[in-house]
């Protein structure tokens, strides 16, 4: 009976040790993710496009965004949305690994090509640096 009691205590001790290690690991990874998010540069680009040029603008934007995501490790996320009541009002959420990644991005050939292509299509541009408070998404999205 005493032997069974020792085995049960040993298993409980072992389980407590494993749970403690897991807790420390999860807490540590959470801190790393938070630190990485704090370094990120997050920006909203509010763009008014000439409605006549909207299709051409969208084509150029899609090419630039897809190229940047594919070839630049520091470009993390782009979401471009159009106002339903006025589709020529476009807002882009841009997330970069850090300010250096953004500075590198605006010096790339594909970004410079985009800027040159759309310069006559854009009526106004407002860049707003923001702080990411939180994000939530379904796994795999």
């Amino acid at each position: 009976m005493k032997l069974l009691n020792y085995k049960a205590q040993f298993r409980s001790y072992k389980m407590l040790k494993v749970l403690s290690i897991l807790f420390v690991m999860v807490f540590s990874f959470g801190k790393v993710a938070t630190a990485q998010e704090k370094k990120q540069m997050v920006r909203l680009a509010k763009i008014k496009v000439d409605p006549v040029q909207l299709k051409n603008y969208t084509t150029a934007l899609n090419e630039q965004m897809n190229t940047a995501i594919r070839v630049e490790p520091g470009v993390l996320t782009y979401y471009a949305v159009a106002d339903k009541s006025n589709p020529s009002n476009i807002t882009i959420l841009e997330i970069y690994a850090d300010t250096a990644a953004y500075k590198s991005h605006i010096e790339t050939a594909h970004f410079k090509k985009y800027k040159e292509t759309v310069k006559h299509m854009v009526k106004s541009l407002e860049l707003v640096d923001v702080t990411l408070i939180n994000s939530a998404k379904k796994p795999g999205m």
Side-chain angles (χ1 to χ4, degrees), residues 104-116:
S104 174
H105 166 67
I106 61 174
E107 294 300 322
T108 61
H110 57 268
F111 182 77
K112 288 179 179 181
K113 176 185 173 189
Y114 159 77
K115 291 298 279 187
E116 183 63 28

Side-chain angles (χ1 to χ4, degrees), residues 62-110:
N62 288 339
E63 180 183 329
Q64 191 287 130
M65 288 171 53
N66 290 322
T67 302
I69 290 292
R70 188 177 70 253
V71 303
E72 294 182 69
V75 177
L76 305 180
T77 304
Y78 282 125
Y79 286 100
V81 297
D83 186 327
K84 282 187 176 185
S85 64
N86 186 352
S88 62
N89 289 340
I90 295 174
T91 302
I92 304 169
L93 169 65
E94 309 172 11
I95 303 178
Y96 302 91
D98 52 29
T99 303
Y102 171 74
K103 288 179 180 178
S104 174
H105 166 67
I106 61 174
E107 294 300 322
T108 61
H110 57 268

Side-chain angles (χ1 to χ4, degrees), residues 1-3 5-6 11 20 36 38-39 42 46 60 67 76-77 89 104 115 122-123 134:
M1 188 91 145
K2 274 189 170 184
L3 183 59
N5 194 18
Y6 287 124
R11 271 186 263 150
S20 297
Q36 288 173 345
K38 288 185 183 203
K39 286 189 342 182
V42 184
K46 298 178 180 183
T67 302
L76 305 180
T77 304
N89 289 340
S104 174
K115 291 298 279 187
V122 174
K123 295 168 78 175
N134 197 1

Side-chain angles (χ1 to χ4, degrees), residues 8-137:
Q9 286 179 344
F10 180 72
R11 271 186 263 150
S12 294
Y13 172 74
K14 195 172 177 182
M15 182 60 81
L16 183 61
K17 185 176 177 182
V18 168
L19 289 173
S20 297
I21 290 170
L22 284 173
F23 176 77
V24 168
M25 288 175 63
V26 167
F27 184 73
S28 295
F29 288 130
K31 288 288 187 188
V32 169
T34 302
Q36 288 173 345
E37 287 172 3
K38 288 185 183 203
K39 286 189 342 182
Q40 291 177 346
M41 180 180 167
V42 184
R43 171 173 277 174
L44 295 175
K46 298 178 180 183
I47 305 164
K48 291 186 188 296
V49 177
D50 176 0
V52 174
Q53 296 290 328
L54 187 56
K55 184 174 172 41
N56 292 336
Y57 175 81
T58 303
T59 299
L61 175 64
N62 288 339
E63 180 183 329
Q64 191 287 130
M65 288 171 53
N66 290 322
T67 302
I69 290 292
R70 188 177 70 253
V71 303
E72 294 182 69
V75 177
L76 305 180
T77 304
Y78 282 125
Y79 286 100
V81 297
D83 186 327
K84 282 187 176 185
S85 64
N86 186 352
S88 62
N89 289 340
I90 295 174
T91 302
I92 304 169
L93 169 65
E94 309 172 11
I95 303 178
Y96 302 91
D98 52 29
T99 303
Y102 171 74
K103 288 179 180 178
S104 174
H105 166 67
I106 61 174
E107 294 300 322
T108 61
H110 57 268
F111 182 77
K112 288 179 179 181
K113 176 185 173 189
Y114 159 77
K115 291 298 279 187
E116 183 63 28
T117 301
V118 304
K119 71 181 179 184
H120 65 282
M121 301 176 195
V122 174
K123 295 168 78 175
S124 70
L125 168 64
E126 179 185 3
L127 300 175
V128 182
D129 290 332
V130 296
T131 301
L132 183 64
I133 296 171
N134 197 1
S135 65
K137 62 183 180 177

